Amino acid sequence: MTDLRAVVVGTGMMGPGIAATLAAGGIGTCLVSRKVESANEGLRQAKFLSSTLEKQGLLSSVQVATALKCLSCSSDLDAQVANSDLVVESIPEDLALKQRFFQRLASIAPPRAILASNTSGISISAIAEGC
């Protein structure tokens, strides 16, 4: 396990998988959602995905054990981002929403933090405008 702290924002289709992958690499990873219930569900999905990858021979039992220790969840975005080294957003594909979200991240993340997007079709430059 490393001292790095990652935050994955969004518990839809991609967030739990991103969180599980980071955690399998030994990175402390917090999955963040607006509601406690959806954060808990995202954490459950991330743990399930880790177990599925082990069953398919893609992760070792040691990697899964590491992932399970490294995964957490929260509904407190500000507190989690304030202590992060990496933030990956996995929120809905809406340019204005992502722009507002990155403006918020830029105001609360430490200077060392890498802010990343899981966008599939929106220009990263367009998302970063205004930050």
Side-chain angles (χ1 to χ4, degrees), residues 24 27 44 79 128-129:
I27 297 171
R44 188 198 64 74
E129 284 180 18

Side-chain angles (χ1 to χ4, degrees), residues 47-62:
K47 290 178 177 182
F48 175 78
L49 288 168
S50 297
S51 297
T52 300
L53 291 173
E54 180 183 18
K55 290 175 188 168
Q56 294 175 348
L58 298 171
L59 287 181
S60 69
S61 59
V62 171

Side-chain angles (χ1 to χ4, degrees), residues 64-129:
V64 172
T66 297
L68 296 178
K69 284 188 238 174
C70 290
L71 284 167
S72 64
C73 69
S74 176
S75 61
D76 189 345
L77 177 70
D78 290 4
Q80 295 304 318
V81 169
N83 295 311
S84 65
D85 298 295
L86 169 67
V87 181
V88 180
E89 71 79 10
S90 187
I91 64 175
E93 291 290 285
D94 176 289
L95 177 58
L97 175 67
K98 287 183 184 282
Q99 287 174 328
R100 287 189 308 273
F101 188 74
F102 273 92
Q103 287 171 355
R104 181 174 176 195
L105 289 179
S107 73
I108 57 177
R112 71 176 183 279
I114 296 169
L115 306 180
S117 176
N118 183 46
T119 188
S120 58
I122 300 174
S123 162
I124 293 296
S125 297
I127 293 171
E129 284 180 18

